[in-house]
């Protein structure tokens, strides 16, 4: 299945675009997606806190993803 | 009770059934602490002062710089070099002379945060670094205060209200404090000048709602704004049984260490007030000045030893290993490098860098 992921903050800088689409196995979990992205973009692995949102809900590691889910990677930002 | 002039001033609030005289009185009795009088703090302070929040605390150790002016709209060129809290209070008194402005010209730290937060009902976070954000979260959990949080990055902003009426905390959303390397601040990263205005006014809105008990507070939800795509989204999140318990007494104090002195390395620092305390103690640390001889001649701290940074590696044997050492320079950059060198290659473990250098240490 194809998953589209919106990127925010420094995650956007690392990937170089505001969203990306990737193919994932059926039943892929939020943690699995994150692991895959961290392999593809090693700089993402250095981000200790990176919230995964699925359909505007904070996703626990084991949340199962589906095609057409609205997925976002949200790191904390600190500017003031 | 309000005077006729106050009635007139706050008429548009008094006309709202949801606020009215009772609400306006709540605002007057409210005590709100704003941490950071920068890009976010300026609009927050402006609107809360104008709204008639009776006691506003301003906490910031910084002085106004020319680079602040495009987004920190309480300040003008005449304020450059002045303490932000003082310049802000002058502007706020012009805006609303009826409120009480309490100035805290200090960096919020583990040593002072409890006493500071305890004096207020609501805390608004407009700070510019992660250690302060985790520190304020944990203090608000310890003391049971709601935390109206806002943060910005280039063209994006985030707002949420943490620890409100049993709701989730900052740590429920972001359990792990980011490392220094992944935390660029506004001093090193650009920012669209109106962005803190947009985010700060949303924080002010939520702070008013919290004080007034109005509507649905942005608790358990993170509001995200991306100005470039003009997209907003609201992310729902829950209280985490473990993370929500972490407070000043139970969290790891390493989360509060400010590693922003150098962008690339984690450096141990202390603040000007912490140094003052140490110097007054029975066994004060050795002061090491790593600037040049001319700078040293112009001004140095009493008893300091001069060892210019370029010579440090060759003359490191002169730095004692069995006595605490505090390294300083003009603004904290060279001393951070010196401490990185001493703690890294040279294996010292009792060496700290004076954050902000002599510029933050009035003579």
């Amino acid at each position: 299945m194809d998953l589209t992921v919106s990127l925010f903050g420094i995650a956007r800088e690392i990937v170089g675009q505001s969203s990306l689409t990737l193919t994932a196995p059926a039943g892929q979990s939020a943690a699995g997606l994150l692991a895959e992205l961290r392999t593809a973009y090693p700089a993402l692995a250095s981000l200790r806190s990176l919230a995964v949102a699925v359909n505007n809900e904070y996703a626990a590691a084991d949340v199962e993803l589906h095609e057409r889910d609205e997925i976002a990677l949200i790191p904390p930002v600190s500017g003031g | 009770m309000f005077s006729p002039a106050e009635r007139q001033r706050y008429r548009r609030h008094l006309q709202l059934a949801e606020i009215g005289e009772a609400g306006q009185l709540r605002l007057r009795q409210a005590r709100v602490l704003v941490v950071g009088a920068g890009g976010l703090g300026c609009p927050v302070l402006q609107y809360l002062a104008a709204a008639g929040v009776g006691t506003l605390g301003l906490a910031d150790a910084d002085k106004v710089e020319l680079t602040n002016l495009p987004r920190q709209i309480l300040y003008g060129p005449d304020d450059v070099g002045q303490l932000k809290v003082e310049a802000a209070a002058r502007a706020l008194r012009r805006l609303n002379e009826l409120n009480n402005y309490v100035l805290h010209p200090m960096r919020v730290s583990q040593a002072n945060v409890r006493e500071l937060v305890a004096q207020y009902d609501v805390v608004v976070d407009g700070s510019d670094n992660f250690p302060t954000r985790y520190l304020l979260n944990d203090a608000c959990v310890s003391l049971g205060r709601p935390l109206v949080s806002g943060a910005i990055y280039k063209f994006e902003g985030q707002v949420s209200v943490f620890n409100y009426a049993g709701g989730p905390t900052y740590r429920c959303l972001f359990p792990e404090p980011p490392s220094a390397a992944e935390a660029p601040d506004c001093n090193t990263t650009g920012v669209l000048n109106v962005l803190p205005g947009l985010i700060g006014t949303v924080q002010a809105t939520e702070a008013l709602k919290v004080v007034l008990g109005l509507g649905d507070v942005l608790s358990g939800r993170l509001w995200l704004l991306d100005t470039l795509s003009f997209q907003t989204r609201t992310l729902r999140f829950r209280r985490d049984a473990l993370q929500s318990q972490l407070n000043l007494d139970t969290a790891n104090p390493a989360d509060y260490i400010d590693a922003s002195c150098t962008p690339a390395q984690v450096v141990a620092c202390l603040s000007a007030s912490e140094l003052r305390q140490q110097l007054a103690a029975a066994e004060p640390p050795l002061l090491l000045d790593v600037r040049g001889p001319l700078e040293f001649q112009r001004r140095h701290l009493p008893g300091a030893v001069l060892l210019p940074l370029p010579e440090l590696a060759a003359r490191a044997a002169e730095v004692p290993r069995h006595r605490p050492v505090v390294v300083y320079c003009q603004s904290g950059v060279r001393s951070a490098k010196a401490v990185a060198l001493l703690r890294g290659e040279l294996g010292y473990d009792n060496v700290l860098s004076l954050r902000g250098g002599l510029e933050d240490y009035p003579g």
Side-chain angles (χ1 to χ4, degrees), chain A residues 6-10 12-13 46-51 53 55-58 70-72 74-80, chain B residues 39-40 127-130 133 151-154 156 158 173-177 179 182 224 226 233-237:
Chain A
S6 304
L7 304 159
F8 289 86
I10 200 161
R12 180 180 291 190
E13 310 280 309
S46 70
L47 303 184
R48 282 194 253 174
S49 263
L50 189 55
N55 301 324
N56 290 325
E57 185 105 31
Y58 183 93
E70 209 181 303
I71 305 166
I74 302 165
V77 298
S78 66
Chain B
L40 295 172
S127 68
D128 63 359
N129 62 84
F130 285 119
R133 292 182 178 277
I152 53 174
Y153 180 74
K154 293 189 177 179
E156 293 173 29
Q158 306 180 350
L173 187 59
F174 299 118
E176 287 284 322
S179 65
E182 59 184 289
L224 294 153
D226 177 17
R233 62 173 73 206
T234 309
L235 161 69
R236 288 181 303 277
F237 62 101

Side-chain angles (χ1 to χ4, degrees), chain B:
Chain B
M1 288 303 287
F2 290 112
S3 68
E6 281 172 287
R7 251 172 228 295
Q8 198 174 355
R9 177 187 286 237
Y10 299 123
R11 182 177 297 159
R12 297 294 181 255
H13 268 182
L14 298 176
Q15 285 170 326
L16 289 169
E18 294 83 352
I19 298 182
E21 184 148 340
Q24 195 61 44
L25 275 169
R26 279 173 92 152
L27 289 176
R28 190 164 79 180
Q29 281 152 9
R31 304 178 58 88
V32 177
L33 172 66
V34 180
V35 177
L40 295 172
C42 283
V44 170
L45 287 164
Q46 225 173 359
Y47 274 99
L48 295 187
V53 170
T55 302
L56 270 174
L58 293 71
D60 199 315
D62 289 346
K63 290 171 179 161
V64 179
E65 293 176 30
L66 200 56
T67 57
N68 300 151
L69 299 189
R71 68 187 185 286
Q72 302 186 16
I73 36 103
L74 287 174
Y75 314 124
D78 295 348
D79 297 315
V80 171
Q82 312 249 339
L83 275 171
K84 283 185 178 176
V85 292
E86 287 177 1
R90 275 198 299 277
L92 296 174
R93 282 192 193 101
R94 245 188 342 263
L95 206 55
N96 193 338
E97 74 289 6
L98 303 173
N99 307 321
N100 181 21
Y101 302 102
V102 185
L103 310 192
H104 305 282
M106 62 189 193
R107 198 175 172 92
V108 179
S109 71
Q110 208 184 343
N112 60 31
V113 70
R114 203 183 289 266
E115 197 191 334
L116 179 69
V117 168
Q119 300 169 46
Y120 296 91
D121 313 316
V122 179
V123 180
V124 181
D125 188 354
S127 68
D128 63 359
N129 62 84
F130 285 119
T132 305
R133 292 182 178 277
Y134 281 87
L135 181 66
L136 287 175
N137 176 74
D138 296 353
C140 285
V141 173
S142 283
L143 294 159
R145 302 293 195 272
L147 176 63
V148 183
S149 171
I152 53 174
Y153 180 74
K154 293 189 177 179
F155 300 95
E156 293 173 29
Q158 306 180 350
V159 182
S160 187
V161 180
F162 299 115
N163 200 43
Y164 175 77
T169 75
Y170 189 44
R171 287 180 184 272
C172 299
L173 187 59
F174 299 118
E176 287 284 322
S179 65
E182 59 184 289
D185 63 32
C186 280
N187 294 326
T188 47
T189 313
V191 58
L192 183 68
N193 85 317
V194 295
L195 179 65
L198 291 163
I199 298 300
T201 43
V202 173
Q203 283 180 276
T205 309
E206 290 304 309
L208 291 178
K209 284 164 62 184
V210 167
V211 170
L212 293 167
L214 204 61
D216 295 323
V217 168
L218 193 66
S219 166
R221 293 178 290 164
L222 176 75
W223 182 71
L224 294 153
L225 168 67
D226 177 17
T227 56
L228 288 186
S229 61
F230 207 87
Q231 280 194 336
T232 63
R233 62 173 73 206
T234 309
L235 161 69
R236 288 181 303 277
F237 62 101
R238 288 199 184 84
R239 189 175 167 87
D240 179 282
L242 198 69
Q243 294 297 334
S244 60
Q245 300 300 318
L246 291 178
N247 60 28
L248 286 179
D249 299 310
T250 53
N252 181 355
D255 294 350
Y256 312 139
I257 292 173
D258 188 339
S260 65
C261 325
T262 60
Q265 286 155 310
V266 175
V267 162
C269 304
L270 84 175
S271 68
S273 59
E274 285 160 350
L275 176 59
R276 253 180 239 285
Q277 280 172 12
Q278 291 199 6
L279 289 176
E283 290 180 3
L286 175 79
L287 291 168
L288 192 66
D289 189 322
V290 291
R291 299 172 302 157
L294 284 175
E295 293 172 282
F296 187 80
Q297 214 170 42
R298 226 172 297 143
R299 183 197 163 200
H300 61 262
L301 297 180
V305 173
L306 174 67
L307 209 177
L309 180 61
E311 299 169 29
L312 180 60
R315 293 173 53 192
E318 296 172 36
V319 182
R321 279 189 188 271
H322 300 295
R323 182 181 168 189
V325 176
V326 173
V327 187
Y328 73 86
C329 60
Q330 196 59 30
S331 67
V333 174
R334 281 172 287 179
S335 62
K337 285 182 183 160
V339 166
L341 178 71
L342 288 165
R343 283 183 173 259
E345 292 166 42
L346 300 169
Y348 282 76
D349 54 9
N350 214 350
V351 184
L352 296 172
S353 166
L354 175 61
R355 189 190 297 120
L358 284 183
E359 283 171 15
D360 278 1
Y361 198 91

